[in-house]
Amino acid sequence: MPVIVMASPKGGVGKSTCAVLLASEFARMGAEVTVLDCDPNKSLTRWASHGTPKGVTLLSDIGRSEIVPTIRAADGDGRIVIVDLEGVASQLVSRAISQADLVIVPMQPTALDAEIGSEALALVREEEEALGRKIRHAVVLTKTSAAVKSRVQKELEEQLRGAGIDMIEPPLVARAAFSEIFAYGYDLTAMMQDQGMMTGGKVDKAIINAQSFMEAVYERLK
Ligand SMILES: Nc1ncnc2c1ncn2[C@@H]1O[C@H](COP(=O)(O)OP(=O)(O)O)[C@@H](O)[C@H]1O
Ligand SMILES: [Mg+2]
């Protein structure tokens, strides 16, 4: 089964958010998903402490020496494996990338993020060289504007596509629901149904966005 790794040496770009959305959307389609929280900041563990959707299992505190055997064990059990990493470049990050069927590099559409995001792409290339094989990878833009595509976003998309980088469509729009899910747990649908927890509104649009994102990722795993 596929191993999907979230990687970027920058914090706050949306790695953990992508991991939560993918895990819960794959589970909603009936898949069994194991999520590995390899970040000492434990975003995923906090999300799971409120409750995980049916089909999602979370493993916390996975360190450098456990990462490869843990991925192999979960993968061997026929589960989708999603690895959430800390925003650093480390041996743990490299080892996780070396096991990936798909590396997702979330990037915010700002000039600074693009620069640091390209370091994540460089990390993938280094692993490819070390292993002597290609590792599929793609960029997803995050926290984009729902209303208009900024000039920076247009330029960044052009630049990345021009460099032959696979860009996941659609980007993840900036939506309150995507950040509230960490405090709510479970998935967006459960959050929407629980009206009392619905503070940001527009959860339905967030669900459509998350689902299309998951489908675009799924296409890349076939
Ligand atoms: N698409 C989005 N819309 C709204 N908030 C977002 C979105 N993506 C991330 N965030 C928020 O931005 C912050 C950083 O996101 P996170 O996924 O934790 O990034 P990382 O794991 O790369 O450090 C969090 O507070 C998260 O809730
Ligand atoms: Mg994170």
Side-chain angles (χ1 to χ4, degrees), residues 35-69:
V35 188
L36 307 188
D37 189 354
C38 303
D39 182 352
N41 295 312
K42 294 180 186 268
S43 304
L44 271 286
T45 304
R46 246 173 276 155
W47 164 68
S49 72
H50 301 280
T52 50
K54 188 176 169 291
V56 176
T57 304
L58 180 112
L59 302 179
S60 292
D61 291 319
I62 311 294
R64 193 185 62 195
S65 52
E66 296 104 47
I67 184 72
V68 172

Side-chain angles (χ1 to χ4, degrees), residues 103-207:
V103 177
I104 296 178
V105 179
M107 237 183 244
Q108 282 171 249
T110 70
L112 179 65
D113 270 64
E115 215 169 285
I116 301 176
S118 58
E119 288 172 25
L121 299 171
L123 275 181
V124 175
R125 269 192 296 274
E126 281 170 28
E127 281 313 301
E128 287 181 327
E129 280 166 17
L131 296 169
R133 68 168 173 92
K134 292 283 172 201
I135 301 171
R136 186 147 192 190
H137 55 281
V139 165
V140 64
L141 294 181
T142 60
K143 303 194 211 180
T144 60
S145 161
V148 285
K149 196 183 268 197
S150 68
R151 186 176 55 82
V152 180
Q153 182 179 340
K154 278 184 207 155
E155 284 174 4
L156 180 57
E157 283 176 344
E158 254 172 53
Q159 188 191 324
L160 290 167
R161 285 214 176 88
I165 305 293
D166 180 17
M167 302 287 290
I168 295 177
E169 283 290 334
L172 284 169
V173 171
R175 295 219 178 267
F178 289 147
S179 52
E180 284 166 12
I181 193 73
F182 285 99
Y184 182 77
Y186 300 98
D187 63 11
L188 294 168
T189 312
M191 192 166 85
M192 184 171 77
Q193 282 161 357
D194 190 346
Q195 295 292 327
M197 292 299 291
M198 213 181 114
T199 55
K202 308 234 171 97
V203 184
D204 48 347
K205 287 197 175 139
I207 292 173

